[in-house]
Amino acid sequence: MTSPVASIRDVAMRFGGILALDGVSFDIGPEQIVGLIGPNGAGKTTLFNCLSRLYTPTSGDILLHGRSLLGRPAYSIAALGIGRTFQNLALFPKLSVADNIKVGGHAEIAGDFISDALRLPRARAGARELDRRVGAIVDELELGALAQRLVGDLPFGTQKRVELARALATNPSLLLLDEPAAGLNHEEVDELGGVIRRIRDGRRISILLVEHHMGLVMSLSDHVVALNFGRKIAEGTPLKVQADEAVAAAYLGGTAQ
Amino acid sequence: MTIERTTALVFLICALAVPAMISGFVTFQLTMLLIYAIAIMGLNLLTGFNGQFSLGHSAFYAIGAYTAAILMDQFGIGYIWTLPAAGLVCFAVGFLFGFPALRLEGTYLALATFGLAVATPQILKLTPLEHWTGGVQGVFVMKPNAPFGLPLTSDQWLYYLTLAAFVLLYVLAKNLVTSRTGRALLAIRENPIAAQSMGINVSLYKTLTFGVSAAYTGIAGALGAIVIQFVAPDSFGFMLSVTFLVGVVVGGIAWLPGAIIGAAFILFVPNFAEDISKGLSGAVYGIIMILLIYVMPSGAGGIVSSALRVLRSR
Ligand SMILES: Nc1ncnc2c1ncn2[C@@H]1O[C@H](COP(=O)(O)OP(=O)(O)OP(=O)(O)O)[C@@H](O)[C@H]1O
Ligand SMILES: [Mg+2]
């Protein structure tokens, strides 16, 4: 078997009296879409925040390409290859669509206060390179007509697309999507499925997908991990996890522990 | 040519031509306007663009002014060289102050910077420092004459010097805010956690911005010392910080050209209020400010950007 892109190893995360994650382990393989499911409060977003170093796990380890992330500061994670979206949108509302996406490319180009203030050749070369990359992503996600609009003025569904575009601009090898389908209508969900698959196939990257929309997760994922109360209760192919009794019980609100 | 460029060109031509047509006193006032505009621009980089609140910029203005005055008075350094020196000293002080400020949000940061503003004039009066600062008396400096036998009065020369500093600092700031760095500053203001996850070293950018902002305001302070030929601790009280903040808001948050409008406001409106009523000048100034914020809540910058949007959408 090829070595995994990311390994979550026995990760626990405690907030005061709440054990939001309780010894979770799984791997994300190359070019895999891994679905992460579980009822509200299961710990999915907490795991995302551990992966992007916004939280430091109480115990356990997280490896990216075999190297531990835990000694790394949160701002270095994008450059290491993890891009993400946020469950409740975390855009920059007073910036344009294009600028929001460009911020995603921050670590991809060089620059500093002095070369930017003096418009040194390296700053200008970086700006051109970023324009090119962002232009391609804008086309890919069909945001061209909106590029100069302020993000705060756009409808929710469009904002979600901008956030996805911004995550892509970090040029990730692992993309974390936290409920990308939430708040979208039926048609938009179908379209999103196609977009996610195209992203994986076109860039040959891995995706960790948190989603409550079961149709979407099950149709997209190569592998599914189910959490409940911070514990992994099932893992395997979509078919296997769908048939799992503990998973069914968790979603029915039963105590499957 | 864009509207922005045309306006900048017209501004520059007028600014170059105007001293020949006005009195020495008005020239001096316009010089002060440009000096305040530099200070406001510095504060806007920090507060407007980066979202870090400061009530402490009078302290950086004071440190810049004293750096210039002491270098000239005690070390006989040429006044031109005191400008970069004041910028560097204030950059260092601002950068260092930026570290504890990292732990503070919103109102707490306002309070900490308020402390800086209150402490600085007192520290400048301390007896052990009196040898350099002149204590309560302050420091007098010589008024420089125009160099190279230029046919300019001293006031005119200082005006052109200040104009050159303003234009240079404006261009640098403009480049900065329209670049990768500028986007990072705005992203931090809008959502620091998302900014961090997009690869921005939030702490570094915030402290560096504190330094750059302080440097701008410090250079303004140094120019002020040269132009007024005098520094004294009590001219740099907390009210000066508030005045700069008024300039930022009136000119427009995160809109650089607003610095000129904001500076004109803080320089001329108090006089205007005094003309209306000597006894109630404070009340008149206050009411003008309230009306202004009511009529244009996002400052002159807000009005200009809506006007531009209307023009462009036609
Ligand atoms: N910063 C925090 N401080 C305290 N408790 C937290 C924090 N973040 C998460 N929790 C708690 O951890 C548990 C897991 O929350 P998390 O947001 O990870 O769930 P989730 O699986 O993403 O749920 P949802 O499907 O509703 O988004 C919850 O009980 C939540 O209240
Ligand atoms: Mg969640």
Side-chain angles (χ1 to χ4, degrees):
Chain A
M1 198 182 141
T2 48
S3 59
V5 171
S7 302
I8 288 103
R9 299 240 173 114
D10 208 21
V11 167
M13 179 83 229
R14 177 179 286 284
F15 298 109
I18 299 171
L19 200 52
L21 291 173
D22 185 3
V24 173
S25 300
F26 64 93
D27 284 348
I28 301 166
E31 296 178 45
Q32 251 188 352
I33 297 181
V34 175
L36 183 62
I37 62 168
N40 294 119
K44 307 178 295 293
T45 299
T46 302
L47 184 66
F48 266 35
N49 288 341
C50 289
L51 274 159
S52 46
R53 293 290 296 117
L54 298 176
Y55 295 163
T56 299
T58 315
S59 62
D61 201 358
I62 297 171
L63 309 181
L64 185 71
H65 303 298
R67 291 235 192 90
S68 175
L69 284 182
L70 296 189
R72 306 297 196 122
Y75 69 80
S76 69
I77 295 301
L80 291 174
I82 300 185
R84 73 170 290 180
T85 65
F86 292 81
Q87 183 170 350
N88 298 312
L89 288 178
L91 284 160
F92 313 119
K94 296 221 176 91
L95 302 196
S96 69
V97 168
D99 279 342
N100 266 271
I101 302 172
K102 281 183 181 178
V103 173
H106 181 85
E108 291 294 298
I109 58 164
D112 54 74
F113 274 71
I114 291 175
S115 43
D116 282 348
L118 297 175
R119 288 174 56 80
L120 296 183
R122 71 193 217 104
R124 276 182 288 166
R128 275 195 302 275
E129 170 66 15
L130 192 58
D131 278 340
R132 195 183 60 70
R133 290 188 191 207
V134 168
I137 294 171
V138 162
D139 291 343
E140 183 181 349
L141 293 184
E142 293 168 9
L143 289 164
L146 305 171
Q148 297 314 318
R149 294 278 298 278
L150 296 189
V151 154
D153 297 342
L154 299 173
F156 183 76
T158 314
Q159 293 197 7
K160 294 211 90 155
R161 204 135 44 94
V162 176
E163 221 196 14
L164 177 59
R166 187 182 66 177
L168 288 180
T170 64
N171 194 21
S173 52
L174 171 61
L175 179 61
L176 312 178
L177 302 177
D178 200 347
E179 303 199 15
L184 302 189
N185 65 33
H186 203 74
E187 233 165 83
E188 289 170 328
V189 171
D190 285 347
E191 199 187 313
L192 177 70
V195 169
I196 293 175
R197 201 173 278 127
R198 271 202 304 282
I199 287 171
R200 191 266 309 267
D201 296 344
R203 293 160 198 263
R204 312 187 57 182
I205 63 177
S206 309
I207 298 177
L208 182 60
L209 172 68
V210 165
E211 197 35 83
H212 284 298
H213 196 293
M214 282 306 142
L216 186 70
V217 206
M218 296 303 172
S219 68
L220 281 177
S221 303
D222 303 299
H223 190 83
V224 176
V225 174
L227 296 183
N228 193 24
F229 294 114
R231 289 211 199 121
K232 185 172 80 180
I233 52 170
E235 170 172 19
T237 62
L239 277 178
K240 181 177 167 229
V241 171
Q242 261 173 315
D244 192 285
E245 277 175 25
V247 174
Y251 273 94
L252 289 173
T255 46
Q257 292 152 307
Chain B
M1 203 151 78
T2 62
I3 300 174
E4 283 92 342
R5 282 186 180 216
T6 316
T7 316
L9 201 65
V10 171
F11 168 81
L12 207 58
I13 292 168
C14 293
L16 286 170
V18 85
M21 305 171 219
I22 55 178
S23 71
F25 178 69
V26 180
T27 307
F28 165 80
Q29 279 194 315
L30 290 183
T31 309
M32 286 313 294
L33 187 151
L34 290 170
I35 290 172
Y36 284 153
I38 293 171
I40 289 169
M41 207 154 52
L43 182 56
N44 210 345
L45 286 173
L46 184 72
T47 304
F49 286 89
N50 199 213
Q52 300 193 75
F53 207 61
S54 172
L55 286 172
H57 267 50
S58 59
F60 300 125
Y61 190 89
I63 294 168
Y66 269 88
T67 303
I70 293 169
L71 285 177
M72 286 187 278
D73 182 52
Q74 303 270 330
F75 301 93
I77 290 180
Y79 62 96
I80 294 279
W81 300 108
T82 67
L83 299 179
L88 285 175
V89 169
C90 288
F91 175 83
V93 176
F95 182 69
L96 292 176
F97 190 83
F99 277 98
L102 281 178
R103 303 182 157 271
L104 306 169
E105 294 284 329
T107 31
Y108 297 98
L109 182 57
L111 212 64
T113 50
F114 173 66
L116 188 67
V118 173
T120 303
Q122 298 249 299
I123 292 170
L124 290 170
K125 286 182 208 169
L126 287 178
T127 319
L129 299 177
E130 214 163 84
H131 173 66
W132 289 286
T133 62
V136 191
Q137 309 298 321
V139 183
F140 285 91
V141 296
M142 291 261 290
K143 191 166 201 167
N145 288 316
F148 321 120
L150 288 172
L152 296 171
T153 66
S154 181
D155 281 331
Q156 287 173 335
W157 162 243
L158 287 178
Y159 169 84
Y160 283 118
L161 177 70
T162 308
L163 181 65
F166 172 80
V167 170
L168 176 70
L169 291 170
Y170 179 85
V171 170
L172 293 179
K174 179 81 188 165
N175 288 345
L176 199 66
V177 301
T178 50
S179 70
R180 171 181 181 270
T181 300
R183 269 194 311 273
L185 299 190
L186 290 167
I188 291 168
R189 180 192 77 186
E190 295 284 296
N191 191 327
I193 290 177
Q196 196 148 34
S197 291
M198 296 305 127
I200 295 169
N201 185 344
V202 172
S203 309
L204 182 68
Y205 274 86
K206 280 175 108 172
T207 43
L208 284 173
T209 307
F210 229 112
V212 170
S213 171
Y216 269 65
T217 305
I219 292 171
L223 283 164
I226 296 165
V227 169
I228 297 177
Q229 300 158 260
F230 174 59
V231 294
D234 291 323
S235 23
F236 308 122
F238 159 68
M239 264 320 281
L240 186 63
S241 288
V242 178
T243 305
F244 291 153
L245 215 52
V246 169
V248 168
V249 175
V250 169
I253 297 280
W255 189 57
L256 290 173
I260 292 281
I261 298 163
F265 184 90
I266 62 176
L267 199 61
F268 297 126
V269 174
N271 294 345
F272 170 73
E274 201 144 306
D275 287 346
I276 289 183
S277 159
K278 269 230 149 15
L280 288 173
S281 62
V284 174
Y285 184 49
I287 289 167
I288 292 174
M289 211 140 51
I290 292 168
L291 285 177
L292 207 73
I293 292 304
Y294 192 74
V295 178
M296 37 186 234
S298 40
I303 295 204
V304 170
S305 60
S306 344
L308 283 178
R309 214 168 299 148
V310 171
L311 273 177
R312 276 177 190 144
S313 67
R314 278 200 305 187

